Amino acid sequence: MLSHDSIWAAIDRLAEQHSLTPSGLARRAGLDPTSFNKSKRVGADGRMRWPSTESIAKVLEATGASLDQFMRHVSPEGLRGSPLPQGTFPPQASSIPLLGMAQAGAGGFFDDGGFPAGQGWDLVEFPAAPGRNNGVYALEVQGESMKPLYRDGDIVIVEPGAQVRRGDRVVVKTREGEVMAKILARQSAKSIELQSLNPDHPPRTLDMGDVEWVARIIWASQ
């Protein structure tokens, strides 16, 4: 997996490349100026805090950097020779399955656990650590129902089986074949509450018996 330190170091390196402080980079990206401060990288309880995919997407847009360029900053060379923590690996491009969001609602593309299966998948390159992409797949957003966060043609990377928490962006498939990208507001043994990405769409509450699977969105191509 990509490490907490290497992701933050990549943000620092990108800021340096544009003659900015981390605060200046956050400000240019339209974020709170303190978003990338050192103090914000570890919570008061000592738990590591990671930058959100949305924040990274805004940074890439503000600097004109590509995802590939950002990922090169995560590599050992991009970290100016700083060693990666033991057990982590430099990122490398690997092929993962790709499917259109609309097609994902049809049968035959997933197994019972929400992992990709069957025929009809395309392929897309995704920079990932070795072993990271076991079961990871990509969905192409189709239509405008997920704006302003995701636009038509954007690619979201989904990790089935990953633990999901309140506030995570997730893809949900119902037993009736509906596939949607939402924000997890609350989940219990009986129901799941989903907040819409598009303010024009109301929140959804589903019985868990009507849900086939829930998978966490770990990256977006924006």
Side-chain angles (χ1 to χ4, degrees), residues 85-143:
Q86 185 177 6
T88 62
F89 300 85
Q92 66 179 34
S94 56
S95 297
I96 60 174
L98 169 68
L99 188 68
M101 188 80 77
Q103 287 74 37
F109 289 110
F110 301 94
D111 63 18
D112 292 342
F115 288 84
Q119 304 297 317
W121 291 83
D122 203 344
L123 291 175
V124 66
E125 293 298 312
F126 176 59
R132 169 64 171 172
N133 61 333
N134 183 27
V136 171
Y137 61 90
L139 293 174
E140 182 177 359
V141 175
Q142 297 169 321

Side-chain angles (χ1 to χ4, degrees), residues 51-58 146 148-150 156-159 162-172 180-185 194-197 214-220 222:
S52 69
T53 53
E54 182 180 6
S55 295
I56 293 175
K58 288 183 176 180
M146 301 174 196
L149 190 56
Y150 301 133
V156 296
I157 309 299
V158 179
E159 184 177 10
Q163 182 180 5
V164 293
R165 299 174 181 172
R166 180 178 298 182
D168 283 347
R169 296 182 180 90
V170 296
V171 173
V172 178
M180 64 194 93
K182 301 284 186 180
I183 299 173
L184 179 63
L194 303 167
Q195 183 178 355
S196 295
L197 302 170
V214 179
R216 182 161 60 92
I217 296 173
I218 61 171
W219 199 269
Q222 298 166 296

